[in-house]
Amino acid sequence: MKFVSTRGQAPALGFSDAVATGLAPDGGLFLPETLPDLSTEWSKWGALSYPALCFEFMRRFATDIPADVLRVIVDKSYTTFDHPDIAPLVQLDEQTYVLELFHGPTLAFKDFALQLLGNLYEHQCAVRGQSINVLGATSGDTGSAAIHGLLGKPGTAIFILYPEARTSPLQERQMACTGADNVFALAVNGSFDDAQAALKELFADQAFRTKHRLSAVNSINLARVLAQCVYYLYAFLRLPESTRTETEFVVPTGNFGNVLAGWLLQKMGVPIRSFKVATNQNDILYRLFTTGDYRVSKVEPSLAPSMDIQVSSNFERFLYLSLKRDAAKVREVMQTFKQTGGYTFKNFDKDTFSASRCTDAEIPAIIKDVYARYGYVADPHTACAFVDLAKDRPSVVLATASPAKFPETIVRSIGVEPTHPRLEALKQRPIVNHRLAATPEAIANFVAQHAV
Ligand SMILES: *Cc1c(COP(=O)(O)O)cnc(C)c1O
């Protein structure tokens, strides 16, 4: 299987190279050259465990990794989860289900992809006999999930920049209390955007990048999207057969990676009825799916911070496939969008996508209502998905984070403090971080000293 760029001006690559490359050299994102047709196969997979299903799915894409090796990589990636079902589907009432995606090491859904990606990187280091240094900036969940994907892995080091005193204390602890000596939590003196800008400059220095075999952590890696397809399928197989093909998946959304994965699975022939894109008050995607207008506005920090985005990076993959793989048209749209900050789309599939939005004023009220109605505690991101659930069909709400990660909002909403043993354990450990100026020079110096 080969992978092509959404901008159509980069060579097609095999799975391992596309994963190692991240962003395609023409600025596009990788997608499979053709999507496999699973329509006659998926229904045979109902008895498979989560890792077995993941292997069955991934082996259609990772064709350059021997099957027995891939199986070990996949199995290992889900041993770090603390629920036997990995992604349990919880029924709240006849029409409403929650797919809990927060039983991984950092208690958010990003672990599904980043545990696997960490093991793929480790495999690649071993095959190539080369070390790898992973670098990224985070405002929250991605950084800690990436760190826990590479924690203690030989031949790797990971450097994560975060704005000092601007992530939540628990998020900082998840990055800075691991005790692993290949993990560097870098508290930069500046905002997330400053850190991001400094990193971008560093990555533009081709010589430095090559010398230290740098790789970027971000939300656009091909392996992340593919790994996320699996839990949609796992949930789909657990829905009652009589209503399965009528069920809507409701997805708390920021960068569009999560909902894109579900849609790809539908395109591979798994008959998912529809998706609802649930945003917080940063509602660019809500506006797109309700009016057709895709237009940047200012990001307002919210109670669901992992969905505070301005431009949705994975949207380009959606665009490419919606435009029937017309890469020239994608380039034109992206160019217009870059120049004018907006674009109007007419032709996405309205029968498949709908959208909802949720303001900060509504989030605590929804958490309270869901708790009163079902005795269920939803985190602030998951709460956004409980707005306007469909009346005419069952819903599966994707729960993207554990409520224990956001104790302030939960206490404020329902007066109960959620806890989790993994987070309690972190509070006992010392914070080990490094303070840096948000400049490319300071970061380059630090990386040069600690790279493997
Ligand atoms: C990252 C994240 C999201 C948004 O996911 P996207 O793939 O960017 O749409 C939602 N909720 C939580 C808790 C997250 O960490």
Side-chain angles (χ1 to χ4, degrees), residues 108-110 141 228 252-258 306-307 379 381 400-401:
F109 86 95
K110 293 185 175 73
D141 287 338
Q228 290 173 185
T253 302
N255 264 318
F256 204 69
N258 200 352
S306 298
M307 289 152 61
D379 97 286
H381 302 80
T400 52

Side-chain angles (χ1 to χ4, degrees), residues 377-437:
V377 184
D379 97 286
H381 302 80
T382 307
C384 293
F386 276 94
V387 171
D388 301 333
L389 288 183
K391 304 247 181 329
D392 61 343
R393 62 190 77 161
S395 297
V396 174
V397 168
L398 271 58
T400 52
S402 162
K405 288 189 88 167
F406 303 94
E408 299 83 7
T409 305
I410 304 297
V411 169
R412 177 145 80 85
S413 310
I414 59 173
V416 176
E417 177 156 4
T419 59
H420 191 286
R422 291 204 207 236
L423 297 178
E424 293 311 306
L426 281 180
K427 291 180 190 162
Q428 313 304 320
R429 300 222 198 122
I431 291 185
V432 181
N433 62 8
H434 307 266
R435 294 215 175 111
L436 286 185

Side-chain angles (χ1 to χ4, degrees), residues 2 11-12 46 50 70 84 107 136 140-141 176 234 279 315 326 335 342 347 360 371 397 408 421 433-434 444:
K2 290 280 188 207
Y50 193 93
L70 182 66
L107 313 185
D141 287 338
Y234 188 73
T279 74
F315 183 69
D326 182 347
Q335 189 61 25
N347 45 0
D360 259 20
Y371 188 59
V397 168
E408 299 83 7
N433 62 8
H434 307 266

